[in-house]
Amino acid sequence: MSVSQVAQPVELVGAAPEIDVTGRAVRRDFRYDSHGFTASLFWSPFLVKANLANATLGLWDLHLDTADARWAAPVAEFGYVVLSDTNWFLRPSVYYEGGRAVGRNGAAPVTNATEIAVPRAVRAAFRTALGALAAAPGTFRGKAILRSVTPAHFENGEWNTGGDCVRTRPFRRDERALGAVAAEYLAVQVSRTSPHPFAFSKIPIELSDLATENVDAICSCRRSTRSGRRRRR
């Protein structure tokens, strides 16, 4: 198939986009005219409200019980929501609930807070995100798809230490072992969807399991920290 035969999206450009503290655009919209839908890509590295408390140390304050309003506020207008987020939780972070600090992860350079395992924070964030869909203003009536953690596919080093991805095809099932951290993340995500909590039972939820299917392990290097949405025509 030639490139000309593949549907090419057109990015909708309006006012200057909001830029996140990480330097990324908070929202980008793409129109697929040949298929009659618009896809919106939101940058929300934790899915919940997050503040970069100390840029020098890279320390984040994560409010695990408050969804990131930048994606949660307009979510009711979309027909499909794809939630994806894991790897950013490894960054130094202090966790908040009810407006007060309740813990930190092991990378946080603070000593006056109890260390909480990262998967527990990931579980809380996904629960908050799914809860935001259930409580969306105007009521979200679409389908939620939870995209699992993407397995590491760099060889001879990590992505930031000289590693490279020379794959020309995706890994097949069981061809590459899932790392301990990714496996723990996957277990958390599966627990959010099968069966998903009663509070979210009115929302159809599916798990897109890239960790075991490895369907995007060809050197695409797509981050698993973005949430995208497809809007109904």
mmCIF file of all heavy atoms in Angstrom, residues 78-110:
data_model
loop_
_atom_site.group_PDB
_atom_site.id
_atom_site.type_symbol
_atom_site.label_atom_id
_atom_site.label_comp_id
_atom_site.label_asym_id
_atom_site.label_seq_id
_atom_site.Cartn_x
_atom_site.Cartn_y
_atom_site.Cartn_z
ATOM 1 N N PHE A 78 -16.873 13.259 23.615
ATOM 2 C CA PHE A 78 -16.215 12.235 22.813
ATOM 3 C C PHE A 78 -16.943 10.902 22.856
ATOM 4 O O PHE A 78 -17.590 10.558 23.841
ATOM 5 C CB PHE A 78 -14.771 12.050 23.289
ATOM 6 C CG PHE A 78 -13.932 13.287 23.117
ATOM 7 C CD1 PHE A 78 -13.642 14.104 24.204
ATOM 8 C CD2 PHE A 78 -13.448 13.633 21.877
ATOM 9 C CE1 PHE A 78 -12.891 15.250 24.043
ATOM 10 C CE2 PHE A 78 -12.683 14.773 21.706
ATOM 11 C CZ PHE A 78 -12.400 15.589 22.788
ATOM 12 N N GLY A 79 -16.803 10.139 21.776
ATOM 13 C CA GLY A 79 -17.428 8.832 21.700
ATOM 14 C C GLY A 79 -16.543 7.718 22.223
ATOM 15 O O GLY A 79 -17.027 6.700 22.705
ATOM 16 N N TYR A 80 -15.227 7.913 22.126
ATOM 17 C CA TYR A 80 -14.266 6.928 22.615
ATOM 18 C C TYR A 80 -13.158 7.650 23.368
ATOM 19 O O TYR A 80 -12.729 8.733 22.962
ATOM 20 C CB TYR A 80 -13.627 6.130 21.461
ATOM 21 C CG TYR A 80 -14.595 5.279 20.693
ATOM 22 C CD1 TYR A 80 -15.332 5.809 19.624
ATOM 23 C CD2 TYR A 80 -14.784 3.945 21.016
ATOM 24 C CE1 TYR A 80 -16.218 5.030 18.919
ATOM 25 C CE2 TYR A 80 -15.672 3.158 20.303
ATOM 26 C CZ TYR A 80 -16.390 3.703 19.263
ATOM 27 O OH TYR A 80 -17.280 2.934 18.571
ATOM 28 N N VAL A 81 -12.715 7.045 24.443
ATOM 29 C CA VAL A 81 -11.620 7.609 25.227
ATOM 30 C C VAL A 81 -10.573 6.521 25.438
ATOM 31 O O VAL A 81 -10.907 5.421 25.894
ATOM 32 C CB VAL A 81 -12.104 8.137 26.598
ATOM 33 C CG1 VAL A 81 -10.914 8.562 27.448
ATOM 34 C CG2 VAL A 81 -13.062 9.297 26.410
ATOM 35 N N VAL A 82 -9.353 6.808 25.078
ATOM 36 C CA VAL A 82 -8.254 5.874 25.285
ATOM 37 C C VAL A 82 -7.370 6.439 26.393
ATOM 38 O O VAL A 82 -6.790 7.518 26.251
ATOM 39 C CB VAL A 82 -7.420 5.679 24.002
ATOM 40 C CG1 VAL A 82 -6.282 4.683 24.262
ATOM 41 C CG2 VAL A 82 -8.296 5.207 22.855
ATOM 42 N N LEU A 83 -7.297 5.726 27.505
ATOM 43 C CA LEU A 83 -6.486 6.140 28.643
ATOM 44 C C LEU A 83 -5.190 5.356 28.649
ATOM 45 O O LEU A 83 -5.198 4.128 28.549
ATOM 46 C CB LEU A 83 -7.235 5.901 29.955
ATOM 47 C CG LEU A 83 -8.557 6.650 30.141
ATOM 48 C CD1 LEU A 83 -9.247 6.177 31.418
ATOM 49 C CD2 LEU A 83 -8.314 8.148 30.203
ATOM 50 N N SER A 84 -4.081 6.057 28.771
ATOM 51 C CA SER A 84 -2.794 5.389 28.749
ATOM 52 C C SER A 84 -1.812 6.158 29.615
ATOM 53 O O SER A 84 -1.580 7.343 29.397
ATOM 54 C CB SER A 84 -2.270 5.318 27.308
ATOM 55 O OG SER A 84 -0.990 4.746 27.266
ATOM 56 N N ASP A 85 -1.236 5.488 30.589
ATOM 57 C CA ASP A 85 -0.338 6.176 31.508
ATOM 58 C C ASP A 85 0.327 5.186 32.445
ATOM 59 O O ASP A 85 -0.344 4.371 33.047
ATOM 60 C CB ASP A 85 -1.130 7.187 32.363
ATOM 61 C CG ASP A 85 -0.302 8.390 32.750
ATOM 62 O OD1 ASP A 85 0.922 8.322 32.591
ATOM 63 O OD2 ASP A 85 -0.879 9.377 33.214
ATOM 64 N N THR A 86 1.629 5.218 32.542
ATOM 65 C CA THR A 86 2.334 4.400 33.530
ATOM 66 C C THR A 86 3.725 4.937 33.822
ATOM 67 O O THR A 86 4.051 5.250 34.958
ATOM 68 C CB THR A 86 2.480 2.924 33.084
ATOM 69 O OG1 THR A 86 2.909 2.883 31.717
ATOM 70 C CG2 THR A 86 1.181 2.160 33.226
ATOM 71 N N ASN A 87 4.561 5.042 32.801
ATOM 72 C CA ASN A 87 5.983 5.254 33.022
ATOM 73 C C ASN A 87 6.356 6.545 33.741
ATOM 74 O O ASN A 87 7.386 6.601 34.420
ATOM 75 C CB ASN A 87 6.735 5.173 31.688
ATOM 76 C CG ASN A 87 6.671 3.789 31.078
ATOM 77 O OD1 ASN A 87 6.628 2.804 31.795
ATOM 78 N ND2 ASN A 87 6.631 3.709 29.755
ATOM 79 N N TRP A 88 5.540 7.576 33.616
ATOM 80 C CA TRP A 88 5.873 8.829 34.291
ATOM 81 C C TRP A 88 5.780 8.704 35.810
ATOM 82 O O TRP A 88 6.314 9.531 36.542
ATOM 83 C CB TRP A 88 4.961 9.958 33.782
ATOM 84 C CG TRP A 88 5.543 10.629 32.574
ATOM 85 C CD1 TRP A 88 5.693 10.088 31.331
ATOM 86 C CD2 TRP A 88 6.075 11.956 32.497
ATOM 87 N NE1 TRP A 88 6.269 10.992 30.490
ATOM 88 C CE2 TRP A 88 6.515 12.146 31.172
ATOM 89 C CE3 TRP A 88 6.205 12.993 33.412
ATOM 90 C CZ2 TRP A 88 7.096 13.339 30.743
ATOM 91 C CZ3 TRP A 88 6.772 14.183 32.985
ATOM 92 C CH2 TRP A 88 7.216 14.354 31.672
ATOM 93 N N PHE A 89 5.104 7.687 36.286
ATOM 94 C CA PHE A 89 4.980 7.517 37.740
ATOM 95 C C PHE A 89 6.305 7.131 38.391
ATOM 96 O O PHE A 89 6.417 7.139 39.615
ATOM 97 C CB PHE A 89 3.909 6.472 38.058
ATOM 98 C CG PHE A 89 2.513 6.997 37.929
ATOM 99 C CD1 PHE A 89 1.838 6.934 36.722
ATOM 100 C CD2 PHE A 89 1.874 7.580 39.019
ATOM 101 C CE1 PHE A 89 0.548 7.441 36.592
ATOM 102 C CE2 PHE A 89 0.587 8.087 38.909
ATOM 103 C CZ PHE A 89 -0.078 8.010 37.689
ATOM 104 N N LEU A 90 7.303 6.806 37.594
ATOM 105 C CA LEU A 90 8.618 6.501 38.150
ATOM 106 C C LEU A 90 9.394 7.767 38.508
ATOM 107 O O LEU A 90 10.415 7.701 39.190
ATOM 108 C CB LEU A 90 9.431 5.676 37.144
ATOM 109 C CG LEU A 90 8.889 4.267 36.854
ATOM 110 C CD1 LEU A 90 9.704 3.602 35.749
ATOM 111 C CD2 LEU A 90 8.912 3.420 38.110
ATOM 112 N N ARG A 91 8.908 8.920 38.055
ATOM 113 C CA ARG A 91 9.584 10.169 38.384
ATOM 114 C C ARG A 91 9.367 10.529 39.862
ATOM 115 O O ARG A 91 8.345 10.148 40.439
ATOM 116 C CB ARG A 91 9.086 11.288 37.475
ATOM 117 C CG ARG A 91 9.642 11.169 36.059
ATOM 118 C CD ARG A 91 8.848 11.994 35.063
ATOM 119 N NE ARG A 91 9.512 12.037 33.772
ATOM 120 C CZ ARG A 91 9.568 11.026 32.906
ATOM 121 N NH1 ARG A 91 8.988 9.888 33.203
ATOM 122 N NH2 ARG A 91 10.202 11.150 31.749
ATOM 123 N N PRO A 92 10.317 11.231 40.469
ATOM 124 C CA PRO A 92 10.176 11.602 41.888
ATOM 125 C C PRO A 92 8.834 12.288 42.134
ATOM 126 O O PRO A 92 8.524 13.296 41.488
ATOM 127 C CB PRO A 92 11.353 12.557 42.118
ATOM 128 C CG PRO A 92 12.363 12.172 41.083
ATOM 129 C CD PRO A 92 11.557 11.780 39.873
ATOM 130 N N SER A 93 8.040 11.749 43.049
ATOM 131 C CA SER A 93 6.690 12.259 43.260
ATOM 132 C C SER A 93 6.273 12.180 44.719
ATOM 133 O O SER A 93 6.631 11.241 45.430
ATOM 134 C CB SER A 93 5.677 11.463 42.425
ATOM 135 O OG SER A 93 6.014 11.459 41.049
ATOM 136 N N VAL A 94 5.500 13.179 45.128
ATOM 137 C CA VAL A 94 4.838 13.181 46.432
ATOM 138 C C VAL A 94 3.352 13.052 46.151
ATOM 139 O O VAL A 94 2.809 13.749 45.280
ATOM 140 C CB VAL A 94 5.126 14.470 47.232
ATOM 141 C CG1 VAL A 94 4.334 14.478 48.541
ATOM 142 C CG2 VAL A 94 6.618 14.589 47.525
ATOM 143 N N TYR A 95 2.677 12.156 46.855
ATOM 144 C CA TYR A 95 1.276 11.863 46.603
ATOM 145 C C TYR A 95 0.368 12.627 47.569
ATOM 146 O O TYR A 95 0.647 12.705 48.770
ATOM 147 C CB TYR A 95 1.013 10.366 46.755
ATOM 148 C CG TYR A 95 1.898 9.502 45.892
ATOM 149 C CD1 TYR A 95 2.515 8.365 46.416
ATOM 150 C CD2 TYR A 95 2.126 9.813 44.557
ATOM 151 C CE1 TYR A 95 3.327 7.554 45.634
ATOM 152 C CE2 TYR A 95 2.939 9.022 43.770
ATOM 153 C CZ TYR A 95 3.543 7.893 44.310
ATOM 154 O OH TYR A 95 4.345 7.102 43.531
ATOM 155 N N TYR A 96 -0.726 13.165 47.000
ATOM 156 C CA TYR A 96 -1.700 13.916 47.791
ATOM 157 C C TYR A 96 -3.086 13.307 47.613
ATOM 158 O O TYR A 96 -3.457 12.855 46.531
ATOM 159 C CB TYR A 96 -1.742 15.384 47.337
ATOM 160 C CG TYR A 96 -0.533 16.186 47.715
ATOM 161 C CD1 TYR A 96 0.657 16.091 46.979
ATOM 162 C CD2 TYR A 96 -0.559 17.068 48.807
ATOM 163 C CE1 TYR A 96 1.777 16.828 47.323
ATOM 164 C CE2 TYR A 96 0.555 17.814 49.149
ATOM 165 C CZ TYR A 96 1.721 17.680 48.411
ATOM 166 O OH TYR A 96 2.828 18.411 48.762
ATOM 167 N N GLU A 97 -3.855 13.323 48.677
ATOM 168 C CA GLU A 97 -5.271 12.979 48.647
ATOM 169 C C GLU A 97 -5.988 13.889 49.627
ATOM 170 O O GLU A 97 -5.493 14.119 50.732
ATOM 171 C CB GLU A 97 -5.495 11.512 49.029
ATOM 172 C CG GLU A 97 -5.010 10.535 47.974
ATOM 173 C CD GLU A 97 -5.310 9.086 48.328
ATOM 174 O OE1 GLU A 97 -5.645 8.827 49.499
ATOM 175 O OE2 GLU A 97 -5.218 8.223 47.433
ATOM 176 N N GLY A 98 -7.118 14.417 49.196
ATOM 177 C CA GLY A 98 -7.836 15.346 50.057
ATOM 178 C C GLY A 98 -7.045 16.600 50.360
ATOM 179 O O GLY A 98 -7.261 17.241 51.395
ATOM 180 N N GLY A 99 -6.118 16.947 49.476
ATOM 181 C CA GLY A 99 -5.339 18.171 49.652
ATOM 182 C C GLY A 99 -4.156 18.058 50.584
ATOM 183 O O GLY A 99 -3.446 19.032 50.824
ATOM 184 N N ARG A 100 -3.894 16.867 51.122
ATOM 185 C CA ARG A 100 -2.757 16.713 52.027
ATOM 186 C C ARG A 100 -1.847 15.579 51.554
ATOM 187 O O ARG A 100 -2.285 14.617 50.917
ATOM 188 C CB ARG A 100 -3.236 16.428 53.448
ATOM 189 C CG ARG A 100 -3.963 15.126 53.644
ATOM 190 C CD ARG A 100 -4.439 14.940 55.075
ATOM 191 N NE ARG A 100 -5.032 13.617 55.294
ATOM 192 C CZ ARG A 100 -4.326 12.541 55.614
ATOM 193 N NH1 ARG A 100 -3.001 12.640 55.770
ATOM 194 N NH2 ARG A 100 -4.911 11.368 55.791
ATOM 195 N N ALA A 101 -0.572 15.719 51.858
ATOM 196 C CA ALA A 101 0.400 14.718 51.452
ATOM 197 C C ALA A 101 0.155 13.413 52.206
ATOM 198 O O ALA A 101 0.020 13.410 53.429
ATOM 199 C CB ALA A 101 1.813 15.222 51.717
ATOM 200 N N VAL A 102 0.093 12.308 51.463
ATOM 201 C CA VAL A 102 -0.152 11.004 52.082
ATOM 202 C C VAL A 102 1.001 10.034 51.849
ATOM 203 O O VAL A 102 1.012 8.932 52.393
ATOM 204 C CB VAL A 102 -1.457 10.379 51.545
ATOM 205 C CG1 VAL A 102 -2.668 11.207 51.955
ATOM 206 C CG2 VAL A 102 -1.395 10.208 50.028
ATOM 207 N N GLY A 103 1.976 10.433 51.052
ATOM 208 C CA GLY A 103 3.101 9.548 50.808
ATOM 209 C C GLY A 103 3.958 10.037 49.653
ATOM 210 O O GLY A 103 3.768 11.139 49.128
ATOM 211 N N ARG A 104 4.906 9.224 49.257
ATOM 212 C CA ARG A 104 5.838 9.551 48.180
ATOM 213 C C ARG A 104 6.299 8.244 47.542
ATOM 214 O O ARG A 104 6.084 7.161 48.088
ATOM 215 C CB ARG A 104 7.056 10.281 48.742
ATOM 216 C CG ARG A 104 7.836 9.433 49.758
ATOM 217 C CD ARG A 104 9.116 10.091 50.218
ATOM 218 N NE ARG A 104 9.792 9.290 51.241
ATOM 219 C CZ ARG A 104 10.600 8.269 51.009
ATOM 220 N NH1 ARG A 104 10.826 7.917 49.736
ATOM 221 N NH2 ARG A 104 11.174 7.596 51.982
ATOM 222 N N ASN A 105 6.953 8.357 46.380
ATOM 223 C CA ASN A 105 7.568 7.159 45.824
ATOM 224 C C ASN A 105 9.041 7.113 46.226
ATOM 225 O O ASN A 105 9.573 8.053 46.827
ATOM 226 C CB ASN A 105 7.389 7.076 44.301
ATOM 227 C CG ASN A 105 8.108 8.188 43.551
ATOM 228 O OD1 ASN A 105 8.910 8.932 44.104
ATOM 229 N ND2 ASN A 105 7.821 8.292 42.260
ATOM 230 N N GLY A 106 9.712 6.020 45.898
ATOM 231 C CA GLY A 106 11.076 5.836 46.352
ATOM 232 C C GLY A 106 12.074 6.785 45.738
ATOM 233 O O GLY A 106 13.178 6.957 46.265
ATOM 234 N N ALA A 107 11.704 7.431 44.629
ATOM 235 C CA ALA A 107 12.629 8.342 43.961
ATOM 236 C C ALA A 107 12.559 9.763 44.512
ATOM 237 O O ALA A 107 13.426 10.586 44.211
ATOM 238 C CB ALA A 107 12.336 8.362 42.457
ATOM 239 N N ALA A 108 11.544 10.065 45.299
ATOM 240 C CA ALA A 108 11.361 11.421 45.817
ATOM 241 C C ALA A 108 12.406 11.746 46.886
ATOM 242 O O ALA A 108 12.554 10.986 47.847
ATOM 243 C CB ALA A 108 9.961 11.594 46.386
ATOM 244 N N PRO A 109 13.121 12.864 46.754
ATOM 245 C CA PRO A 109 14.166 13.237 47.719
ATOM 246 C C PRO A 109 13.594 13.926 48.954
ATOM 247 O O PRO A 109 14.035 15.008 49.339
ATOM 248 C CB PRO A 109 15.053 14.179 46.904
ATOM 249 C CG PRO A 109 14.097 14.859 45.980
ATOM 250 C CD PRO A 109 13.062 13.806 45.618
ATOM 251 N N VAL A 110 12.603 13.305 49.570
ATOM 252 C CA VAL A 110 12.003 13.855 50.790
ATOM 253 C C VAL A 110 11.960 12.747 51.837
ATOM 254 O O VAL A 110 11.876 11.564 51.505
ATOM 255 C CB VAL A 110 10.585 14.415 50.537
ATOM 256 C CG1 VAL A 110 10.622 15.600 49.583
ATOM 257 C CG2 VAL A 110 9.674 13.330 49.992
#
